[in-house]
Short mmCIF file of all heavy atoms in Angstrom, two decimals:
data_model
loop_
_atom_site.label_atom_id
_atom_site.label_comp_id
_atom_site.label_asym_id
_atom_site.label_seq_id
_atom_site.Cartn_x
_atom_site.Cartn_y
_atom_site.Cartn_z
N PRO A 1446 13.23 -10.66 15.44
CA PRO A 1446 11.92 -10.61 16.10
C PRO A 1446 10.81 -10.29 15.11
O PRO A 1446 11.00 -9.52 14.19
CB PRO A 1446 12.09 -9.49 17.13
CG PRO A 1446 13.57 -9.30 17.28
CD PRO A 1446 14.15 -9.66 15.95
N GLY A 1447 9.65 -10.90 15.31
CA GLY A 1447 8.48 -10.56 14.53
C GLY A 1447 7.56 -9.65 15.32
O GLY A 1447 7.64 -9.59 16.55
N SER A 1448 6.70 -8.95 14.63
CA SER A 1448 5.84 -8.00 15.31
C SER A 1448 4.45 -8.01 14.69
O SER A 1448 4.31 -8.04 13.47
CB SER A 1448 6.43 -6.59 15.24
OG SER A 1448 5.57 -5.65 15.86
N VAL A 1449 3.43 -8.00 15.54
CA VAL A 1449 2.04 -7.89 15.10
C VAL A 1449 1.39 -6.78 15.92
O VAL A 1449 1.35 -6.85 17.16
CB VAL A 1449 1.27 -9.21 15.29
CG1 VAL A 1449 -0.21 -9.00 14.97
CG2 VAL A 1449 1.84 -10.29 14.40
N ASN A 1450 0.90 -5.76 15.26
CA ASN A 1450 0.20 -4.66 15.92
C ASN A 1450 -1.29 -4.78 15.61
O ASN A 1450 -1.67 -4.91 14.45
CB ASN A 1450 0.72 -3.31 15.44
CG ASN A 1450 2.18 -3.11 15.82
OD1 ASN A 1450 2.58 -3.41 16.94
ND2 ASN A 1450 2.98 -2.62 14.88
N ALA A 1451 -2.13 -4.72 16.64
CA ALA A 1451 -3.57 -4.92 16.45
C ALA A 1451 -4.35 -3.81 17.15
O ALA A 1451 -3.98 -3.34 18.24
CB ALA A 1451 -3.99 -6.27 17.01
N THR A 1452 -5.44 -3.40 16.50
CA THR A 1452 -6.41 -2.48 17.11
C THR A 1452 -7.75 -3.19 17.17
O THR A 1452 -8.28 -3.61 16.13
CB THR A 1452 -6.53 -1.19 16.28
OG1 THR A 1452 -5.26 -0.55 16.23
CG2 THR A 1452 -7.56 -0.25 16.92
N LEU A 1453 -8.27 -3.39 18.36
CA LEU A 1453 -9.52 -4.11 18.52
C LEU A 1453 -10.71 -3.17 18.31
O LEU A 1453 -10.72 -2.05 18.83
CB LEU A 1453 -9.60 -4.74 19.91
CG LEU A 1453 -8.52 -5.76 20.27
CD1 LEU A 1453 -8.85 -6.43 21.60
CD2 LEU A 1453 -8.36 -6.81 19.18
N GLU A 1454 -11.70 -3.67 17.56
CA GLU A 1454 -12.92 -2.89 17.30
C GLU A 1454 -14.05 -3.38 18.20
O GLU A 1454 -14.15 -4.57 18.51
CB GLU A 1454 -13.33 -3.04 15.82
CG GLU A 1454 -12.27 -2.57 14.83
CD GLU A 1454 -12.70 -2.80 13.39
OE1 GLU A 1454 -13.87 -3.20 13.19
OE2 GLU A 1454 -11.88 -2.57 12.49
N VAL A 1455 -14.89 -2.45 18.61
CA VAL A 1455 -16.02 -2.81 19.46
C VAL A 1455 -16.96 -3.73 18.68
O VAL A 1455 -17.26 -3.50 17.51
CB VAL A 1455 -16.77 -1.54 19.92
CG1 VAL A 1455 -18.02 -1.92 20.73
CG2 VAL A 1455 -15.85 -0.66 20.76
N GLY A 1456 -17.41 -4.80 19.32
CA GLY A 1456 -18.31 -5.75 18.67
C GLY A 1456 -18.41 -7.02 19.47
O GLY A 1456 -17.97 -7.10 20.63
N ASN A 1457 -19.00 -8.03 18.84
CA ASN A 1457 -19.14 -9.33 19.49
C ASN A 1457 -17.85 -10.13 19.38
O ASN A 1457 -17.13 -10.06 18.38
CB ASN A 1457 -20.29 -10.11 18.86
CG ASN A 1457 -21.63 -9.44 19.12
OD1 ASN A 1457 -21.84 -8.85 20.19
ND2 ASN A 1457 -22.53 -9.53 18.14
N LEU A 1458 -17.60 -10.92 20.39
CA LEU A 1458 -16.39 -11.74 20.41
C LEU A 1458 -16.37 -12.73 19.24
O LEU A 1458 -15.31 -13.12 18.75
CB LEU A 1458 -16.31 -12.49 21.74
CG LEU A 1458 -14.98 -13.17 22.07
CD1 LEU A 1458 -13.87 -12.14 22.21
CD2 LEU A 1458 -15.11 -13.99 23.36
N THR A 1459 -17.56 -13.13 18.78
CA THR A 1459 -17.64 -14.11 17.68
C THR A 1459 -17.34 -13.49 16.33
O THR A 1459 -17.10 -14.20 15.36
CB THR A 1459 -19.03 -14.76 17.66
OG1 THR A 1459 -20.02 -13.72 17.55
CG2 THR A 1459 -19.27 -15.56 18.93
N GLU A 1460 -17.39 -12.16 16.25
CA GLU A 1460 -17.05 -11.49 15.00
C GLU A 1460 -15.53 -11.43 14.85
O GLU A 1460 -14.80 -11.27 15.84
CB GLU A 1460 -17.63 -10.08 14.96
CG GLU A 1460 -19.15 -10.03 14.99
CD GLU A 1460 -19.64 -8.60 14.95
OE1 GLU A 1460 -19.80 -7.99 16.03
OE2 GLU A 1460 -19.87 -8.09 13.83
N LYS A 1461 -15.06 -11.53 13.60
CA LYS A 1461 -13.62 -11.54 13.35
C LYS A 1461 -13.23 -10.45 12.37
O LYS A 1461 -13.94 -10.16 11.42
CB LYS A 1461 -13.17 -12.90 12.79
CG LYS A 1461 -13.25 -14.05 13.78
CD LYS A 1461 -12.69 -15.32 13.16
CE LYS A 1461 -12.75 -16.47 14.16
NZ LYS A 1461 -12.19 -17.73 13.57
N VAL A 1462 -12.09 -9.87 12.64
CA VAL A 1462 -11.45 -8.94 11.70
C VAL A 1462 -10.15 -9.61 11.27
O VAL A 1462 -9.19 -9.72 12.05
CB VAL A 1462 -11.18 -7.57 12.35
CG1 VAL A 1462 -10.44 -6.67 11.36
CG2 VAL A 1462 -12.46 -6.93 12.80
N GLU A 1463 -10.09 -10.11 10.02
CA GLU A 1463 -8.93 -10.83 9.54
C GLU A 1463 -8.07 -9.95 8.65
O GLU A 1463 -8.59 -9.21 7.81
CB GLU A 1463 -9.36 -12.09 8.78
CG GLU A 1463 -10.09 -13.11 9.65
CD GLU A 1463 -10.27 -14.45 8.95
OE1 GLU A 1463 -9.57 -14.67 7.93
OE2 GLU A 1463 -11.07 -15.25 9.41
N VAL A 1464 -6.77 -10.04 8.84
CA VAL A 1464 -5.82 -9.27 8.02
C VAL A 1464 -4.76 -10.24 7.50
O VAL A 1464 -4.47 -11.28 8.11
CB VAL A 1464 -5.16 -8.13 8.81
CG1 VAL A 1464 -6.19 -7.14 9.29
CG2 VAL A 1464 -4.34 -8.68 9.96
N LYS A 1465 -4.20 -9.90 6.36
CA LYS A 1465 -3.08 -10.66 5.79
C LYS A 1465 -1.80 -10.00 6.26
O LYS A 1465 -1.50 -8.86 5.90
CB LYS A 1465 -3.15 -10.64 4.26
CG LYS A 1465 -2.00 -11.34 3.56
CD LYS A 1465 -2.06 -12.85 3.71
CE LYS A 1465 -1.01 -13.52 2.86
NZ LYS A 1465 -1.04 -14.99 2.97
N SER A 1466 -1.06 -10.69 7.11
CA SER A 1466 0.13 -10.09 7.70
C SER A 1466 1.34 -10.38 6.84
O SER A 1466 1.44 -11.42 6.19
CB SER A 1466 0.37 -10.64 9.10
OG SER A 1466 1.53 -10.08 9.65
N GLY A 1467 2.28 -9.45 6.83
CA GLY A 1467 3.55 -9.65 6.12
C GLY A 1467 4.68 -9.10 6.95
O GLY A 1467 4.47 -8.39 7.94
N ASN A 1468 5.91 -9.42 6.58
CA ASN A 1468 7.06 -8.92 7.32
C ASN A 1468 7.19 -7.41 7.12
O ASN A 1468 6.97 -6.89 6.03
CB ASN A 1468 8.35 -9.60 6.84
CG ASN A 1468 8.36 -11.06 7.19
OD1 ASN A 1468 7.75 -11.48 8.17
ND2 ASN A 1468 9.03 -11.86 6.38
N GLU A 1469 7.56 -6.73 8.19
CA GLU A 1469 7.75 -5.30 8.08
C GLU A 1469 8.97 -5.01 7.21
O GLU A 1469 9.98 -5.71 7.27
CB GLU A 1469 7.98 -4.70 9.47
CG GLU A 1469 6.79 -4.86 10.41
CD GLU A 1469 7.06 -4.20 11.76
OE1 GLU A 1469 7.61 -3.09 11.76
OE2 GLU A 1469 6.73 -4.80 12.77
N LEU A 1470 8.88 -3.94 6.38
CA LEU A 1470 10.02 -3.55 5.57
C LEU A 1470 11.19 -3.13 6.43
O LEU A 1470 12.35 -3.38 6.12
CB LEU A 1470 9.61 -2.41 4.61
CG LEU A 1470 8.58 -2.79 3.55
CD1 LEU A 1470 8.24 -1.58 2.69
CD2 LEU A 1470 9.10 -3.91 2.67
N VAL A 1471 10.91 -2.47 7.52
CA VAL A 1471 11.94 -2.09 8.48
C VAL A 1471 11.55 -2.67 9.83
O VAL A 1471 10.53 -2.32 10.39
CB VAL A 1471 12.05 -0.55 8.58
CG1 VAL A 1471 13.12 -0.19 9.61
CG2 VAL A 1471 12.39 0.05 7.22
N GLN A 1472 12.38 -3.61 10.32
CA GLN A 1472 12.06 -4.19 11.61
C GLN A 1472 12.68 -3.31 12.69
O GLN A 1472 13.82 -2.88 12.59
CB GLN A 1472 12.53 -5.65 11.67
CG GLN A 1472 14.02 -5.87 11.59
CD GLN A 1472 14.67 -5.94 12.95
OE1 GLN A 1472 13.99 -5.90 13.97
NE2 GLN A 1472 15.99 -6.03 12.96
N THR A 1473 11.91 -3.05 13.72
CA THR A 1473 12.29 -2.07 14.74
C THR A 1473 12.64 -2.69 16.07
O THR A 1473 12.88 -1.98 17.04
CB THR A 1473 11.14 -1.06 14.93
OG1 THR A 1473 9.96 -1.78 15.29
CG2 THR A 1473 10.87 -0.29 13.65
N GLN A 1474 12.67 -4.03 16.15
CA GLN A 1474 12.91 -4.66 17.44
C GLN A 1474 14.40 -4.72 17.79
O GLN A 1474 14.75 -4.88 18.96
CB GLN A 1474 12.34 -6.08 17.44
CG GLN A 1474 10.85 -6.14 17.75
CD GLN A 1474 10.02 -5.58 16.62
OE1 GLN A 1474 10.28 -5.91 15.46
NE2 GLN A 1474 9.06 -4.74 16.93
N SER A 1475 15.28 -4.66 16.82
CA SER A 1475 16.72 -4.70 17.09
C SER A 1475 17.45 -3.91 16.03
O SER A 1475 16.88 -3.56 14.99
CB SER A 1475 17.24 -6.15 17.13
OG SER A 1475 17.21 -6.71 15.83
N ALA A 1476 18.74 -3.64 16.29
CA ALA A 1476 19.53 -2.83 15.36
C ALA A 1476 20.27 -3.65 14.33
O ALA A 1476 20.95 -3.09 13.46
CB ALA A 1476 20.55 -2.00 16.17
N GLN A 1477 20.15 -4.98 14.39
CA GLN A 1477 20.93 -5.80 13.47
C GLN A 1477 20.41 -5.68 12.03
O GLN A 1477 19.23 -5.43 11.79
CB GLN A 1477 20.92 -7.25 13.90
CG GLN A 1477 19.62 -8.00 13.68
CD GLN A 1477 19.72 -9.46 14.12
OE1 GLN A 1477 20.45 -9.77 15.05
NE2 GLN A 1477 19.00 -10.33 13.47
N VAL A 1478 21.35 -5.84 11.09
CA VAL A 1478 21.03 -5.79 9.66
C VAL A 1478 21.16 -7.21 9.11
O VAL A 1478 22.25 -7.79 9.16
CB VAL A 1478 21.97 -4.83 8.92
CG1 VAL A 1478 21.63 -4.81 7.43
CG2 VAL A 1478 21.86 -3.42 9.50
N ALA A 1479 20.07 -7.77 8.61
CA ALA A 1479 20.08 -9.17 8.19
C ALA A 1479 19.23 -9.34 6.94
O ALA A 1479 18.34 -8.55 6.65
CB ALA A 1479 19.57 -10.08 9.31
N ALA A 1480 19.54 -10.39 6.18
CA ALA A 1480 18.77 -10.78 5.01
C ALA A 1480 18.50 -12.27 5.10
O ALA A 1480 19.34 -13.03 5.58
CB ALA A 1480 19.51 -10.44 3.72
N THR A 1481 17.33 -12.70 4.63
CA THR A 1481 16.92 -14.10 4.77
C THR A 1481 16.42 -14.65 3.45
O THR A 1481 15.70 -13.98 2.71
CB THR A 1481 15.81 -14.24 5.84
OG1 THR A 1481 16.31 -13.78 7.09
CG2 THR A 1481 15.37 -15.68 5.98
N LEU A 1482 16.84 -15.89 3.15
CA LEU A 1482 16.31 -16.65 2.02
C LEU A 1482 15.51 -17.81 2.59
O LEU A 1482 16.06 -18.63 3.35
CB LEU A 1482 17.44 -17.17 1.13
CG LEU A 1482 18.21 -16.14 0.30
CD1 LEU A 1482 19.44 -16.78 -0.35
CD2 LEU A 1482 17.32 -15.53 -0.77
N SER A 1483 14.25 -17.91 2.24
CA SER A 1483 13.40 -18.98 2.75
C SER A 1483 13.41 -20.15 1.79
O SER A 1483 13.91 -20.07 0.67
CB SER A 1483 11.97 -18.47 2.94
OG SER A 1483 11.39 -18.18 1.68
N THR A 1484 12.79 -21.25 2.22
CA THR A 1484 12.75 -22.45 1.38
C THR A 1484 11.99 -22.20 0.09
O THR A 1484 12.31 -22.79 -0.95
CB THR A 1484 12.12 -23.62 2.17
OG1 THR A 1484 12.10 -24.78 1.35
CG2 THR A 1484 10.70 -23.30 2.60
N ASP A 1485 10.98 -21.33 0.12
CA ASP A 1485 10.24 -21.01 -1.10
C ASP A 1485 11.12 -20.30 -2.12
O ASP A 1485 10.97 -20.49 -3.33
CB ASP A 1485 9.03 -20.12 -0.77
CG ASP A 1485 8.00 -20.85 0.07
OD1 ASP A 1485 7.91 -22.09 -0.06
OD2 ASP A 1485 7.30 -20.20 0.86
N GLN A 1486 12.06 -19.48 -1.64
CA GLN A 1486 12.98 -18.80 -2.55
C GLN A 1486 14.07 -19.75 -3.03
O GLN A 1486 14.47 -19.71 -4.19
CB GLN A 1486 13.59 -17.58 -1.85
CG GLN A 1486 12.59 -16.49 -1.51
CD GLN A 1486 13.17 -15.45 -0.58
OE1 GLN A 1486 13.67 -15.76 0.50
NE2 GLN A 1486 13.11 -14.19 -0.99
N LEU A 1487 14.57 -20.60 -2.13
CA LEU A 1487 15.66 -21.49 -2.49
C LEU A 1487 15.28 -22.44 -3.61
O LEU A 1487 16.09 -22.75 -4.49
CB LEU A 1487 16.11 -22.28 -1.26
CG LEU A 1487 16.85 -21.49 -0.18
CD1 LEU A 1487 17.09 -22.37 1.05
CD2 LEU A 1487 18.16 -20.96 -0.70
#
């Protein structure tokens, strides 16, 4: 599972707060232990 946590700031809807998201070092959605190689690594 992937996870995105967001805190909305008061302002205009047209204003944007952009963040660079990355995978969490420790994923908390399940107890499984897994490792992944993506096409960029392969």
Side-chain angles (χ1 to χ4, degrees):
S1448 178
V1449 173
N1450 296 316
T1452 300
L1453 299 188
E1454 301 177 6
V1455 176
N1457 294 325
L1458 192 64
T1459 56
E1460 296 180 271
K1461 291 184 179 180
V1462 177
E1463 296 191 16
V1464 298
K1465 177 71 173 181
S1466 179
N1468 293 332
E1469 297 182 42
L1470 294 179
V1471 179
Q1472 65 93 5
T1473 57
Q1474 277 70 45
S1475 70
Q1477 73 179 31
V1478 179
T1481 299
L1482 290 171
S1483 67
T1484 181
D1485 294 331
Q1486 295 168 305
L1487 289 173

